Amino acid sequence: MNVAVVGVGAVGSAVAELADEHGHTVTALVDSSGAAVDSGGLDVTATLDRKNETGAVGDADPDRLDAVAHDVLVEATPTTLGDAQPGFGHVEAALERDRNVVLANKGPVAERYGDVRALAAESEGEVRFEATVGGAIPVLSTIEDVGPAQITAVRGVLNGTANFILSRMAAEGLAYEHVLAEAQDLGVAETDPSFDVEGTDAALKCVIVANVLADGREYTLADATVEGIRDLPTGALELAAETNRTIRLVGEVQNGAVRVAPRLVPENGAMAVTGTQNIVQFETRHAGSLYHSGRGAGGPETASAIFADINRLDG
Amino acid sequence: MSNSGSRTYTVRLELVDRPGELVRALEPIASRGGNLRAISHERGSVTPRGQIPVEVDVEATPEQFETIVEALQETDINVVRAGQERYTEEVVVVLVGDLIGADLSETLAAVQSVSGVSVRDISLTSPHGEASSARLRLATESGGVASTLDTLRRVAGERGLRVVEPLGGERV
């Protein structure tokens, strides 16, 4: 397939670099600085080198993607809340020209799911967004395969930063601020860690899951009850450990409610993944619980979910 | 020693599987005037937590029986049922915040005022320089966990405390 990539951060770059290996051709790379386009296929390495050197991928008009051959638009710009722009606008434009859209950006499907669905209904193009939840872990396709009506709850450790902080606090008895600073040094946490430690990122992922599970109802971040891990005392983890439990930031979608909060989980149980690892539990009506764990973030990891979506478009 | 005020109570205990546990469980009964009438344990029966369920029939006055149950609860022996009350589910939570300022005992009293909830034990830690934390083990009647947690969340919220609740859907 011909792939146009919008957003050339860690995920967008990884998609561009790995496209050839997956049998696809990158025909456009677009970011806020401009665009590089070639309907016959871009030289990805040269384009990314150019971005590294000059800060711009190219000087083509980013608003003229209609003139470029592409079967699918990969939307990998940073997640924004509220009107979810500019990501939503990219989705809208692609669907209006009957192209498929694969999202890594959570904004449009977390904040404007109804609008996205309505646009998709009017379009020949299809929208997929596996990469928005749990990085490389097949979360949405599992729901699709098992059947939303067969799933009674989805619970998960969906934020690597928060999980790194909690598991290191528990293992070393270190204070929150200390581990957060460490995580920032390692690049595991952002300079402004609010999005991760306050639970917003995990909540957006749960809202997307809720939208996929729901039959008709639309969820946004405002529908989620969110409590983060900021300033959780080491003592709480110690008390939990005395009874073979630990604390994880868990997102839960159950009975139509979306909730993110630090929760007590068995120390040796499936949910107590450590470091930046993620895990998702699917509680099913007839088949007990299914667990998927893996890397919930990272460029190539998230790109692998994007290619899974593109391949599903193929079928 | 069947004095007029005494009657027979059934106490259901869950014991850790190690030598001496039964003797340890029976001592508070005998030393507080209880008359042991029967001890039953079904061979091979183990609770999902790996503990040994034992039923003890005790003859005692209501006052004696009350002190017996208190004494048992002061040990770490799990009293599942005593007399008429039946506690069938346990839930562990961690409270975080200014527990002293929020008056922990008042918070607990508010939780226990909900019928069928009993605070089994409390463990408190208050390290220098961070918020204090308390682990509570609550016993509720069968099916009472959700409403117990609702109450706790409300009571704690009123006092500015955070509640770290257990994650459901996963059997320990």
Side-chain angles (χ1 to χ4, degrees), chain A residues 103 154 193 200 258:
Chain A
L103 285 156
V154 175
T200 316
V258 178

Side-chain angles (χ1 to χ4, degrees), chain A residues 19 73 78 109 115 117 126 132 142 154 162 191 241 256 261:
Chain A
L73 180 117
V109 275
D115 292 340
R117 286 262 72 104
E126 198 184 326
T132 59
T142 300
V154 175
T191 317

Side-chain angles (χ1 to χ4, degrees), chain A residues 2 38 57 72 97-98 104-105 168 192 230 274 276 308 312:
Chain A
N2 288 328
D38 187 337
V57 284
V72 53
R97 47 179 191 262
D98 291 326
N105 176 353
R168 189 145 168 77
D192 175 5
R230 193 186 282 277
T274 56
T276 56
R312 284 191 178 233

Side-chain angles (χ1 to χ4, degrees), chain A residues 155 169 175-176 227-243 245 247 250-252 259 261-266 269-271 281 283 289 291, chain B residues 49 90-97 99 121-127 130-137 149-150 153 161-172:
Chain A
R155 304 184 181 89
M169 282 175 72
Y176 173 84
E227 186 193 331
I229 61 158
R230 193 186 282 277
D231 296 328
L232 196 78
T234 314
L237 285 151
E238 282 166 2
L239 287 174
E242 283 171 16
T243 56
R245 292 171 173 87
I247 298 174
V250 176
E252 184 174 34
R259 182 176 172 207
R263 304 290 284 272
L264 286 168
V265 298
M271 297 301 274
Q281 176 202 25
E283 196 182 86
S289 282
Y291 294 88
Chain B
R49 281 201 203 86
E90 274 198 349
V91 60
V92 172
V93 300
V94 173
L95 293 181
V96 176
L99 294 167
D121 67 40
I122 305 169
S123 194
L124 189 70
T125 172
S126 190
E130 48 173 31
S132 42
S133 309
R135 186 187 64 238
L136 310 181
R137 190 158 60 100
L149 289 174
D150 284 346
R153 213 179 296 141
L161 302 174
R162 288 163 86 173
V163 185
V164 182
E165 295 174 35
L167 186 65
E170 191 173 28
R171 293 284 159 252
V172 185

Side-chain angles (χ1 to χ4, degrees), chain A residues 185-199:
Chain A
D185 287 348
L186 288 170
V188 170
E190 310 274 341
T191 317
D192 175 5
S194 332
F195 209 60
D196 296 314
V197 300
E198 283 169 6

Side-chain angles (χ1 to χ4, degrees), chain A residues 178-268:
Chain A
H178 179 100
V179 179
L180 173 61
E182 234 177 38
Q184 285 167 327
D185 287 348
L186 288 170
V188 170
E190 310 274 341
T191 317
D192 175 5
S194 332
F195 209 60
D196 296 314
V197 300
E198 283 169 6
T200 316
D201 172 71
L204 288 170
K205 291 165 181 168
C206 288
V207 164
I208 294 168
V209 167
N211 275 328
V212 172
L213 284 176
D215 189 15
R217 179 177 165 186
E218 181 185 350
Y219 291 82
T220 68
L221 187 58
D223 297 305
T225 306
V226 189
E227 186 193 331
I229 61 158
R230 193 186 282 277
D231 296 328
L232 196 78
T234 314
L237 285 151
E238 282 166 2
L239 287 174
E242 283 171 16
T243 56
N244 301 317
R245 292 171 173 87
T246 190
I247 298 174
R248 289 290 180 265
L249 183 65
V250 176
E252 184 174 34
V253 183
Q254 189 177 20
N255 299 329
V258 178
R259 182 176 172 207
V260 173
R263 304 290 284 272
L264 286 168
V265 298
E267 205 167 29
N268 300 313

